[in-house]
Amino acid sequence: MKCEQCIVRQFNALKSLEKNDLIRISGCKTSKFIQKGEVLFREGESINGVFCIKEGVCKLTKLSANGKDQIVKLVVRGDLLGQRSLVTDEKSNLTAIAVNEMEVCFIPKSEILNDLSKNANFSLDMLQDMAKELRIADNVIVDMAQKSVKQRLADVLVYLNTTFDNDDKGFLGVTLSREDYANLVGTATESAIRILSQFKKEGYISTTGKQIKILDLESLKRIE
Amino acid sequence: MKCEQCIVRQFNALKSLEKNDLIRISGCKTSKFIQKGEVLFREGESINGVFCIKEGVCKLTKLSANGKDQIVKLVVRGDLLGQRSLVTDEKSNLTAIAVNEMEVCFIPKSEILNDLSKNANFSLDMLQDMAKELRIADNVIVDMAQKSVKQRLADVLVYLNTTFDNDDKGFLGVTLSREDYANLVGTATESAIRILSQFKKEGYISTTGKQIKILDLESLKRIE
DNA sequence: TTTAAACTATGATATTTATCATGTTTTCAT
DNA sequence: ATGAAAACATGATAAATATCATAGTTTAAA
């Protein structure tokens, strides 16, 4: 599909590009499907472009000193991935792994870098995106430092519930392993499992295999 | 002092402004001294401009749900404070409090916003700054999630040691209370005190009142 | 379909960290 | 200088979390 016609563009900074620029970019972008578990890029690699997420979800992880992967954030449909690589020449600080089947477009850095200096709206939009990401990151820092594991896990469930449409049976729209949950909140896998079991016992959620259904959102929000 | 002649400018995005823009900005900036403990702005307030830190250090804190202040980052000489307020109209997410005596210049948003859209170098510089901040924030998230309190406190000491010049007697160039240390690493004040006592007992640091001297940097780096 | 591997679950225990209590020291305004 | 408030220090205990062990369950490949 051509960028000019792609609705996903409306969700990110690409919406600020002029039509002729979009056509040019459309001509050099590559589009691909990525399977669950596949790696888009690894920590330490050069990205040299941005991914526009057309469909699916991926996790951005970083390997900590103790050998555990921390999931820093989830990147979803409509997001741009790798903006930082556009403005710095550093290698990626994070690894990106598909959480479910994804469709992404890749736009080479060389092709889009000019737009940053020529199109003020575009670069302002990028600035606003980054400012927003920065605010969210600051909030995550505070939560990590101050909230209990149980609170953080409840937060994640609430976040998933509000960010993704539930499936037709009412399960969360994204299916994560217990290890993913642990890596999102920064705890041991066993601890995440234990707390989810407790939430189940208390009637806040129900589970079928990996699938989780929120039964009592308000109680999850109130956990402390 | 005029912005054109101010050396601090070289450390941040303002270095990308043309001379005539600098002169214009210099004409509308306000300069002031801020005492230790004084508040530059509070969470929830509109900033409507950027602070250029000419001298001193301030802490950016956020009140967590449990009533504790978390220090999200320290802002130092040469840094710009409040970039986010330039590109979004949101209220500040953080409170800024002087850690020691500061000298800052304040540039109103209205005066500098034009430069963002007209001067591509300037906005690219801002983008690079934010990209860097974002990378640092991601790393902090991982550390908060995965490292022990002891490791995080050792990290802070190493950070302070490398970021600020020691004073003439070899003490850290910035003096923080034990509560500040606790709020930086996200722990109880008593825990921070205990760990600092332990570091002292093990010969990694020495203390005189609030002042801390690093005796064995390498050991602090190796703590796990 | 079978079978191994991966994931989930839970108990027992150890470790880390928070909380409460109390006393000491430092700081600072009068 | 002096007294009050703030900051520092440390013990005792409780709570949260990690780790190790073991077993059941699901998933996916052969």
Side-chain angles (χ1 to χ4, degrees), chain B residues 68 148-150 186-188 190-191 194:
Chain B
K68 274 190 192 166
S148 68
V149 172
K150 198 193 291 184
T187 192
E190 297 96 319
S191 297
R194 248 181 262 277

Side-chain angles (χ1 to χ4, degrees), chain A residues 197-213:
Chain A
S197 297
Q198 190 190 339
F199 285 169
K200 204 157 81 172
K201 219 168 279 169
E202 288 169 354
Y204 304 155
I205 63 173
S206 69
T207 67
T208 307
K210 284 196 216 302
Q211 296 186 297
I212 294 180
K213 194 181 294 188

Side-chain angles (χ1 to χ4, degrees), chain B residues 42-141:
Chain B
R42 276 184 207 285
E43 201 176 333
E45 291 179 359
S46 297
I47 309 185
N48 286 318
V50 285
F51 294 88
C52 179
I53 312 296
K54 228 167 144 181
E55 196 54 64
V57 180
C58 88
K59 54 184 178 184
L60 297 186
T61 72
K62 187 169 162 59
L63 194 61
S64 71
N66 65 25
K68 274 190 192 166
D69 279 317
Q70 174 67 28
I71 299 180
V72 174
K73 66 172 296 196
L74 295 178
V75 175
V76 307
R77 181 176 131 92
D79 286 347
L80 281 186
L81 176 55
Q83 291 121 302
R84 293 217 313 267
S85 83
L86 288 187
V87 294
T88 76
D89 284 328
E90 295 167 15
K91 315 269 183 188
S92 173
N93 193 38
L94 304 170
T95 296
I97 301 177
V99 163
N100 46 32
E101 186 166 325
M102 301 181 74
E103 186 182 358
V104 304
C105 293
F106 179 77
I107 303 167
K109 180 172 174 171
S110 58
E111 204 58 43
I112 207 170
L113 210 50
N114 264 334
D115 298 297
L116 264 188
S117 47
K118 283 183 187 154
N119 185 334
N121 278 337
F122 180 51
S123 66
L124 186 59
D125 237 53
M126 286 285 265
L127 272 172
Q128 287 172 343
D129 272 10
M130 285 214 195
K132 195 172 159 189
E133 276 198 60
L134 213 40
R135 180 173 51 77
I136 293 171
D138 285 346
N139 290 340
V140 172
I141 290 173

Side-chain angles (χ1 to χ4, degrees), chain A residues 132-142, chain B residues 72 134 137-138 141:
Chain A
K132 195 171 160 191
E133 276 198 61
L134 214 40
R135 180 173 52 76
I136 293 172
D138 285 347
N139 290 340
V140 173
I141 289 172
V142 177
Chain B
V72 174
L134 213 40
D138 285 346
I141 290 173

